């Protein structure tokens, strides 16, 4: 078996610990920046919805500020964001390279994208349902947590799945500028040293990750669709 | 119970301002079933939303059960809203919650534990006749069942009033009837005040004690249902009443020159309206015998509104002119209003 694998992917088998470390790094980047982007994106999406015209906390100024801010960051290509955020990353993380250095740009790249999707998911909730909750005495917090978020579990799950998958893409890109992880592994060995099996195995690993996330996402979404 | 004093509400839209409610004053008594009828756009939905301040009036005061809602702070307003239930045309149930969870929704805020809330929700579901549906999601329920769940949810906090915004407009006639019956039962058993917003006079006739007619944001006519039906003051009110009978079809028949309305010289088409207890008397046979006129009934309608009969009849009366006049006079003496629709 080992012989066979060595034949199939000699460069991976030569340094399996690097491969495993790359996977771990990718997962660490995914976990941290994903979790933070999830919370921030949720927050922003909710803010956009409740402060919009006719929302439960209507506030035109706040709505416009967040709306424009999100548009601003969404229009910057990620590769430019990576470079542009270096000073801020240094300030916040103490370094602009490695897994730690990738965290800030990943969050900035993902949060606005996810916030827009949360906004779209919450916008699907029928105004009448909000009205019914208000009529039964719900306050703003009740409307947000017991109606908006609760009623949109399925669509937020789908949004989360899409976002995590696009985040995997971003971590690989961040790898190109020294963030580590599978992207870095593929570029450094597969591309620069022409170890073609590294590129293939990395690609397969990413395909597997994406598939697992998609399957889990679909499962949760289906469970919560009524 | 619910008092509106000079309530006005204007919406600012791109197309300009829309005065949805104009200076409406209304007094709805404890235990009353009060109908508010109007065509779409008349402002009735806005009016009912002013009663629990889902829409805050631009001017005027709203009192519910002695408290001035328009003067309350956010917290007190939420408490006040819990004392009023509301149901909607589109039911507005939480799709991700079961019937039981929907009913328990308003309860989970208060002092009740989850167990106590579920117990109460179960009682309410059984009260609306859905004991076996507590685990069903709204998508698995029919329209009538959804509205029953919505009613149970609206009753969760033992409200003093129930606001119904076109609650039966999305339902078929049978289901409408059963929901109206349920509302009537609630009113009788719990003494709850009910406000019914509708565009169907049939609904008003079926359950309301009093009615307010709205047109262009104004309350143009208000009174107890029997007298409004018996003696409508405004043409819009007459239009609504006509929708509940086929009496108005005579106009169409005359216009199209139907053979029934081709009168001979000694014939007249008369409209009789019985507004008092006279409906129980055999007046048609009486005039026929006494004045020697023939009465051919084209349309007739007899309603029982709040336990009193209210009848209308369109007939071709034939006979000598003087006899017909005498018969008409006789009817009027019996407080039956007589109107000549067409002379032969």
């Amino acid at each position: 078996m080992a012989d066979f694998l060595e034949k199939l992917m000699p460069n991976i088998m030569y340094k399996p610990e690097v491969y495993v470390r790359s996977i771990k790094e990718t997962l660490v980047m995914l976990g941290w920046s994903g979790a933070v982007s999830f919370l921030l994106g949720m927050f922003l999406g909710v803010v956009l919805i409740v402060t919009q015209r006719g929302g439960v906390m209507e506030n035109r100024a706040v709505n416009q500020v967040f709306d424009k801010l999100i548009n601003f960051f969404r229009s910057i290509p990620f590769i430019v964001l990576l470079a542009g955020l270096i000073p801020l990353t240094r300030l916040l993380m103490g370094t602009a390279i490695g897994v730690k250095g990738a965290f800030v740009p990943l969050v900035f790249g993902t949060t606005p994208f996810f916030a827009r999707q949360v906004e779209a998911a919450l916008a699907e909730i029928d105004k009448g349902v909000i009205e019914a909750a208000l009529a039964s005495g719900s306050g703003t917090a009740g409307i947000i947590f017991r109606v908006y978020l609760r009623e949109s579990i399925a669509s937020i799950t789908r949004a989360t799945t899409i976002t995590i998958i696009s985040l995997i893409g971003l971590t690989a890109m961040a790898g190109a500028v020294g963030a580590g992880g599978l992207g870095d592994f593929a570029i450094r060995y597969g591309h620069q040293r022409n170890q073609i099996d590294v590129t293939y195995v990395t690609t397969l690993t990413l395909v597997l990750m994406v598939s697992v996330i998609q399957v889990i996402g679909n499962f949760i979404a289906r469970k919560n669709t009524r | 119970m619910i008092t509106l004093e000079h309530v006005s509400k204007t919406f600012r839209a791109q197309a300009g301002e829309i005065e949805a409610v104009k200076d409406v004053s209304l007094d709805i008594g404890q235990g009353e079933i009060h109908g508010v009828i109007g065509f779409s756009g008349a402002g009735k939905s806005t009016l009912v939303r002013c009663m629990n301040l889902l829409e805050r009036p631009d001017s005027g005061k709203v009192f519910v059960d002695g408290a001035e809602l328009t003067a309350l702070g956010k917290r007190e307003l939420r408490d006040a809203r819990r004392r009023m239930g509301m149901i909607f045309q589109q039911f507005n149930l939480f799709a991700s919650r079961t019937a039981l969870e929907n009913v328990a929704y308003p309860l989970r805020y208060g002092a009740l534990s989850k167990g106590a809330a579920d117990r109460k929700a179960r009682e309410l579901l059984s009260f609306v006749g859905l004991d076996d549906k507590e685990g069903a999601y709204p998508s698995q329920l029919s329209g009538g069942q959804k509205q029953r769940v919505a009613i149970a949810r609206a009753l969760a906090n033992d409200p003093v009033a129930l606001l119904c915004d076109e609650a039966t407009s999305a339902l078929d006639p049978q289901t409408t009837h059963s929901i109206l019956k349920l509302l009537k039962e609630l009113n009788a058993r719990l003494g709850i005040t009910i406000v019914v917003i509708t565009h169907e006079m049939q609904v008003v006739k079926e359950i309301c004690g009093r009615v307010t007619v709205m047109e262009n944001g104004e309350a143009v006519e208000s009174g107890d249902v029997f007298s409004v039906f018996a003696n409508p003051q405004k043409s819009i009110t007459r239009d609504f009443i006509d929708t509940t009978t086929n009496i108005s079809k005579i106009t169409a028949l005359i216009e199209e020159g139907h053979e029934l309305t081709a009168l001979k010289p000694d014939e007249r088409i008369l409209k009789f309206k019985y507004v008092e207890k006279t409906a129980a008397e055999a007046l048609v046979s009486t005039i026929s015998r006494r004045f020697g006129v023939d009465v051919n009934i084209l349309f007739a309608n007899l309603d029982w509104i709040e336990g009193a009969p209210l009848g209308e009849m369109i007939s071709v009366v034939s006979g000598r002119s003087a006899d017909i006049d005498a018969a008409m006079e006789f009817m009027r003496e019996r407080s039956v209003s007589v109107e000549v629709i067409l002379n032969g």
Side-chain angles (χ1 to χ4, degrees):
Chain A
M1 185 66 185
D3 282 353
F4 174 69
L5 287 178
E6 230 160 278
K7 219 170 189 174
L8 199 66
M9 37 184 203
N11 296 303
I12 295 277
M13 292 314 282
Y14 182 68
K15 45 183 178 298
E17 72 288 344
V18 182
Y19 171 62
V20 171
R21 197 183 62 223
S22 301
I23 294 179
K24 273 189 192 153
E25 283 171 354
T26 291
L27 291 177
V28 167
M29 283 193 280
L30 208 57
W32 280 108
S33 53
V36 172
S37 304
F38 180 81
L39 293 176
L40 282 176
M42 270 306 218
F43 172 76
L44 288 174
V46 168
V47 167
L48 284 176
I49 283 290
V50 297
T51 58
Q52 73 183 1
R53 190 196 296 274
V56 287
M57 284 175 78
E58 185 172 338
N59 187 326
R60 201 124 183 82
V62 171
N63 187 273
Q64 284 303 301
V65 168
F66 280 109
D67 186 73
K68 297 294 174 285
L69 215 59
I70 287 171
N71 282 351
F72 176 75
F73 279 102
R74 280 206 68 193
S75 47
I76 304 175
F78 185 65
I79 200 82
V80 177
L81 202 61
L82 275 171
L85 284 173
I86 285 174
L88 181 69
T89 308
R90 282 224 178 88
L91 189 75
L92 290 175
M93 310 300 295
T95 174
I97 55 163
V99 173
K100 264 175 102 177
F103 175 75
V104 173
L106 285 175
V107 168
F108 271 81
T110 306
T111 301
F113 177 67
F114 185 56
R116 279 290 179 225
Q117 296 201 62
V118 171
E119 183 193 16
L122 300 185
E124 275 169 35
I125 306 290
D126 188 350
K127 253 200 113 220
V129 175
I130 305 296
E131 209 173 30
L134 282 172
S136 76
S138 284
T140 308
I143 297 290
I144 292 172
F145 290 103
R146 300 181 66 207
V147 185
Y148 272 129
L149 297 184
R150 163 80 194 243
E151 292 297 310
S152 58
I153 291 176
S155 40
I156 287 182
T157 303
R158 280 188 284 271
T160 307
T161 310
I162 294 172
T163 306
I164 294 177
I165 289 169
S166 97
L167 181 57
I168 292 177
L170 297 190
T171 62
M173 216 190 289
V177 294
L182 284 167
D184 178 44
F185 183 58
I187 294 282
R188 199 153 10 151
Y189 295 95
H191 178 64
Q192 288 165 355
R193 297 186 198 174
N194 205 19
Q195 298 175 352
I196 200 75
D197 61 323
V198 169
T199 308
Y200 288 152
V201 171
T202 309
T203 307
L204 274 176
T205 311
L206 289 171
V207 167
L208 197 71
M209 271 190 192
V210 167
S211 308
V212 168
I213 286 162
Q214 189 68 57
V215 165
I216 294 173
N218 287 351
F219 176 76
I220 298 175
R222 200 169 46 240
K223 271 259 160 191
N224 284 285
T225 302
R226 307 290 176 194
Chain B
M1 174 57 56
I2 301 176
T3 305
L4 304 182
E5 280 179 7
H6 305 289
V7 166
S8 295
K9 175 78 188 178
T10 302
F11 293 107
R12 277 151 202 92
Q14 265 136 3
E17 296 196 336
I18 301 156
E19 282 186 87
V21 175
K22 295 180 211 164
D23 191 29
V24 172
S25 294
L26 198 61
D27 202 358
I28 298 171
Q30 160 78 48
E32 197 174 285
I33 302 186
H34 194 107
V36 176
I37 189 165
F39 292 112
S40 47
K44 51 197 195 305
S45 281
T46 307
L47 187 76
V48 76
R49 278 165 179 70
C50 285
M51 291 180 187
N52 61 3
L53 258 54
L54 280 180
E55 294 289 356
R56 191 171 276 277
D58 299 323
S59 61
K61 291 177 177 175
V62 179
F63 298 87
V64 173
D65 205 14
E68 190 194 334
L69 294 198
T70 33
L72 296 180
K74 251 186 163 176
R75 255 220 90 76
E76 295 95 35
L77 177 60
R78 283 171 52 189
D79 288 336
R81 277 181 182 157
R82 268 170 228 164
R83 311 205 56 218
M84 277 186 280
M86 189 167 188
I87 58 174
F88 305 84
Q89 178 171 8
Q90 296 306 331
F91 324 120
N92 295 348
L93 296 176
F94 304 113
S96 73
R97 294 172 193 263
T98 62
L100 188 76
E101 289 168 338
N102 264 283
V103 179
Y105 176 89
L107 291 168
R108 297 278 174 81
Y109 277 112
L112 290 185
S113 66
K114 182 172 167 13
D118 282 354
R119 222 169 305 127
K120 179 146 194 211
R122 229 166 250 133
E123 274 170 33
L124 286 162
L125 273 181
S126 132
F127 182 73
V128 299
L130 290 177
D131 327 62
D132 52 335
K133 295 286 182 201
E134 64 169 68
Y137 286 92
S139 59
Q140 300 163 324
L141 298 173
S142 70
Q145 288 170 334
K146 282 183 207 169
Q147 198 59 292
R148 281 169 190 271
V149 173
I151 290 172
R153 179 178 66 179
L155 294 176
N157 283 310
D158 305 310
V160 292
L162 179 64
L163 309 176
C164 310
D165 183 22
E166 298 274 11
T168 58
S169 301
L171 303 174
D172 63 60
Q174 266 85 30
T175 315
T176 294
H177 183 72
S178 77
I179 293 292
L180 293 178
K181 218 173 107 193
L182 176 64
L183 291 178
K184 218 169 174 172
E185 211 178 300
L186 289 178
N187 174 257
R189 272 175 65 175
L190 310 173
I192 188 171
T193 306
I194 301 182
V195 181
V196 178
I197 301 296
T198 183
H199 62 268
E200 293 165 304
M201 205 56 170
Q202 196 60 40
V203 170
V204 172
K205 201 163 85 177
E206 222 168 306
I207 65 166
C208 296
R210 289 171 67 79
V211 63
T212 297
V213 183
M214 281 194 80
E215 190 178 20
N216 299 325
E218 287 173 277
V220 293
E221 189 163 355
S222 201
D224 68 82
V225 171
F226 187 84
S227 39
V228 168
F229 264 82
N231 199 7
Q233 301 299 311
K234 294 283 194 298
S235 71
I236 180 171
T237 314
R238 272 190 288 274
D239 288 347
F240 274 120
I241 293 169
D242 282 345
T243 61
T244 67
T245 70
N246 56 11
I247 295 290
S248 55
K249 278 186 195 150
I250 187 68
T251 327
L253 287 187
I254 292 171
E255 268 166 20
E256 72 189 43
H258 193 273
E259 55 176 304
L260 274 175
T261 64
L263 299 181
K264 295 187 201 85
D266 58 346
E267 289 179 337
R268 288 180 209 173
I269 295 181
L270 300 181
K271 177 173 171 183
F272 300 97
K273 197 162 176 186
Y274 305 74
V275 291
E276 282 171 34
K277 316 294 174 196
T278 42
E281 284 180 48
L283 288 173
V284 172
S285 4
T286 309
I287 57 168
S288 200
R289 275 198 305 272
R290 268 174 86 156
F291 303 97
V293 294
D294 289 322
V295 182
N296 174 21
I297 299 173
L298 299 181
F299 295 103
N301 185 62
L302 180 64
D303 258 320
W304 288 81
I305 293 173
E306 294 182 273
L310 180 64
E312 270 186 305
M313 182 176 81
I314 305 261
S315 337
V316 180
V317 180
S318 44
R320 289 188 313 157
S321 188
D323 288 337
I324 298 179
D325 285 342
M328 285 168 67
E329 196 47 42
F330 175 83
M331 292 293 255
R332 288 195 178 115
E333 278 164 17
R334 295 288 188 285
S335 27
V336 174
S337 87
V338 185
E339 193 186 326
V340 180
I341 304 274
L342 194 66
N343 270 310

